[in-house]
Amino acid sequence: MQPSEMVMNPKQVFLSVLIFGVAGLLLFMYLQVWIEEQHTGWGPVNSLQPINPKFHMSEDPKNKEENLLNSERPIRVFTEKNRSQGEAQVLSRTTGSPTIQLIENHQGSKTLFRKFSEMNWPVDIRPLNKSLVADSKWKRIDATQEKRRSFLQAFCKKYGGVSRPQSHLFHMVSRIYVEDKHKILYCEVPKAGCSNWKRILMVLNGLAPSAYNISHDAVHYGKHLKKLDGFDLKGIYARLNTYTKTVFVRDPMERLVSAFRDKFEHPNSYYHPVFGKAIIKKYRPNACEEELNNGSGVKFKEFIHYLLDSHRPVGMDIHWEKISKLCYPCLIHYDFVGKFETLEEDANYFLQLIGAPKRLKFPNFKDRHSSDKRTNAQVVRQYLKDLTRTERQLIYDFYYLDYLMFNYTTPFL
């Protein structure tokens, strides 16, 4: 070939530049949309209203009720994993070529949103199958259960107004444990009896003969139980629509104080260096070097400053995350709503409903720090007395949705 024949004519040059330019523009658009989607879908988020460390008062609570659920964006939540005593990892899944992965993630998440939006979720909760409950002693508990279900359903119908989920499906079901033999879905709410519930699920799965013989580490780090986000879209959808779904909740203030006592008042090789150090550094003026280095000795008031800060130095954690963001009870219609305040009787009634072995009873022992007094209303008051009235009000505002959804009494502030 002669050198003159290798020279491209102007038309070929123009087409080549145009093709490369369009390809580059499309790639840029994909990356930009993906980055925005990741930021709004997974990034840190404020509570129902912006709160900063100076504790400006929030908007009028009456106005919040107009669109409670649509006002919230999903949050990055920490999940449990064996990491020394580490009990958390940030949710992320990225592998392969970065550029290809970004495009695939963007296309995949758009497809997932579309499929999820088109799903035919049951509008109403299903009646519980009570054919396996023979004893009349459960009538009172059953009546209470029906009231809770009806209350939550009415609340979601009034305030839900969600036309499509605002979070990834796999994220929404990431706290739900699966027990296929008895067709149970259990949404884990930390500090509301979840350790003993996992023991029960292990027994139902045939992984242990008794709930009393299973250690804390086996429960939380053994990876014996399946989670719903481990299934494909078809498997998730089928189980959500056919299995009995349950969630156990707790008074938000009690749950918060219980989490603080567990994670910060006892030695902990994960929460002290990860959360404690960051909290002390930001919220304790003139902290000494030893405090900054080990993160031990976080005060409850400092922990509350962290919780209410819209620019937290470290992310949220499942142990004090709102239940509404862990279990999505207005998008996933739970058939059974148990409460920590009546944990044993609720749990044992539920076991009757799903046909569990007669000998299986819900364990009543304290999973860790057994010598400590259980966190109750009296203990909570002792912790709240060190806070200002404004700080107490802001905690209530932070958990406002949980208080309303599960019909908990407004605390004395």
Side-chain angles (χ1 to χ4, degrees):
M1 183 180 289
Q2 298 297 322
S4 60
E5 294 176 347
M6 297 174 63
V7 178
M8 298 175 66
N9 61 44
K11 185 176 181 180
Q12 290 174 314
V13 171
F14 174 77
L15 287 174
S16 298
V17 171
L18 182 62
I19 290 170
F20 280 111
V22 170
L25 180 62
L26 288 173
L27 179 60
F28 174 77
M29 291 170 65
Y30 270 127
L31 292 174
Q32 187 178 43
V33 172
W34 183 87
I35 289 169
E36 287 180 4
E37 185 178 78
Q38 296 304 303
H39 177 69
T40 57
W42 292 93
V45 28
N46 306 341
S47 57
L48 293 179
Q49 67 288 325
I51 299 176
N52 65 30
K54 294 183 180 179
F55 301 111
H56 291 302
M57 286 301 291
S58 60
E59 61 182 335
D60 184 350
K62 293 180 181 177
N63 296 331
K64 293 181 192 173
E65 296 186 5
E66 296 303 321
N67 198 4
L68 287 170
L69 297 178
N70 284 331
S71 69
E72 295 206 316
R73 292 161 45 198
I75 194 164
R76 178 181 291 125
V77 182
F78 287 81
T79 58
E80 300 197 34
K81 184 182 179 183
N82 187 1
R83 181 177 160 186
S84 178
Q85 275 191 11
E87 300 167 32
Q89 74 178 70
V90 177
L91 290 171
S92 64
R93 298 185 181 104
T94 52
T95 55
S97 165
T99 303
I100 294 173
Q101 187 66 38
L102 293 182
I103 295 173
E104 287 178 348
N105 282 357
H106 170 63
Q107 292 172 331
S109 59
K110 286 184 77 71
T111 303
L112 184 60
F113 266 131
R114 185 172 65 253
K115 287 182 178 179
F116 192 30
S117 300
E118 293 168 356
M119 282 183 176
N120 244 338
W121 295 104
V123 176
D124 298 314
I125 48 179
R126 296 178 291 119
L128 285 168
N129 178 9
K130 301 171 186 175
S131 61
L132 298 174
V133 181
D135 200 325
S136 60
K137 73 176 183 179
W138 301 110
K139 284 185 177 179
R140 177 184 57 82
I141 301 171
D142 178 66
T144 300
Q145 183 56 217
E146 291 300 331
K147 288 178 183 177
R148 289 177 189 165
R149 282 157 43 99
S150 298
F151 183 90
L152 180 58
Q153 183 185 27
F155 172 86
C156 292
K157 281 186 175 180
K158 184 174 181 180
Y159 299 117
V162 178
S163 57
R164 86 172 198 178
Q166 298 185 26
S167 182
H168 295 273
L169 171 60
F170 290 100
H171 171 66
M172 290 177 60
V173 301
S174 64
R175 305 311 314 164
I176 297 180
Y177 285 85
V178 179
E179 202 283 286
D180 284 315
K181 183 178 178 181
H182 295 84
K183 296 187 175 182
I184 301 168
L185 297 181
Y186 162 70
C187 187
E188 175 193 27
V189 175
K191 312 313 298 179
C194 69
S195 297
N196 282 337
W197 258 116
K198 290 181 192 176
R199 289 183 171 93
I200 289 292
L201 293 178
M202 290 175 71
V203 174
L204 290 173
N205 266 301
L207 299 171
S210 168
Y212 289 87
N213 300 329
I214 308 171
S215 69
H216 174 87
D217 285 355
V219 166
H220 290 290
Y221 311 131
K223 299 187 183 301
H224 302 296
L225 299 173
K226 293 180 288 186
K227 284 187 177 181
L228 193 53
D229 63 347
F231 295 86
D232 61 17
L233 195 64
K234 183 178 179 182
I236 293 173
Y237 182 46
R239 286 169 175 80
L240 283 173
N241 280 277
T242 59
Y243 282 24
T244 302
K245 301 176 290 295
T246 183
V247 59
F248 274 69
V249 301
R250 186 176 186 178
D251 176 272
M253 289 284 190
E254 283 192 20
R255 183 170 163 256
L256 176 67
V257 172
S258 177
F260 173 79
R261 295 176 72 197
D262 181 27
K263 305 307 177 188
F264 296 103
E265 293 187 349
H266 296 274
N268 192 297
S269 62
Y270 174 74
Y271 282 89
H272 290 188
V274 174
F275 287 87
K277 288 168 68 173
I279 290 172
I280 290 172
K281 182 178 179 180
K282 184 165 185 178
Y283 307 107
R284 184 178 298 177
N286 305 314
C288 69
E289 189 173 345
E290 182 181 356
E291 295 168 337
L292 292 171
N293 286 337
N294 61 35
S296 299
V298 171
K299 297 179 174 62
F300 186 65
K301 192 179 185 75
E302 294 167 339
F303 174 67
I304 296 305
H305 287 197
Y306 146 80
L307 180 75
L308 300 175
D309 190 348
S310 59
H311 301 286
R312 300 183 190 96
V314 62
M316 278 293 287
D317 182 87
I318 57 171
H319 292 85
W320 46 84
E321 179 59 285
K322 304 163 194 173
I323 299 171
S324 55
K325 286 190 174 183
L326 292 173
C327 296
Y328 296 90
C330 282
L331 286 172
I332 299 171
H333 300 299
Y334 291 94
D335 305 299
F336 191 96
V337 180
K339 289 195 172 184
F340 184 82
E341 293 76 13
T342 51
L343 178 58
E344 278 189 71
E345 60 181 27
D346 287 350
N348 286 325
Y349 178 51
F350 180 78
L351 292 175
Q352 292 275 315
L353 289 171
I354 54 98
K358 298 292 184 185
R359 60 176 175 77
L360 182 60
K361 303 297 179 186
F362 193 82
N364 59 5
F365 62 85
K366 205 167 182 283
D367 187 53
R368 292 201 299 177
H369 318 308
S370 56
S371 61
D372 289 0
K373 182 179 180 181
R374 282 191 183 274
T375 303
N376 55 25
Q378 183 182 7
V379 172
V380 169
R381 281 194 292 272
Q382 292 300 310
Y383 281 80
L384 293 183
K385 72 178 184 179
D386 295 328
L387 305 179
T388 66
R389 180 179 176 83
T390 300
E391 289 165 348
R392 294 196 297 268
Q393 178 64 50
L394 286 171
I395 298 172
Y396 171 70
D397 291 347
F398 186 85
Y399 291 108
Y400 185 71
L401 198 55
D402 287 356
Y403 274 103
L404 291 184
M405 274 186 172
F406 302 110
N407 199 22
Y408 277 107
T409 305
T410 304
F412 176 73
L413 300 172

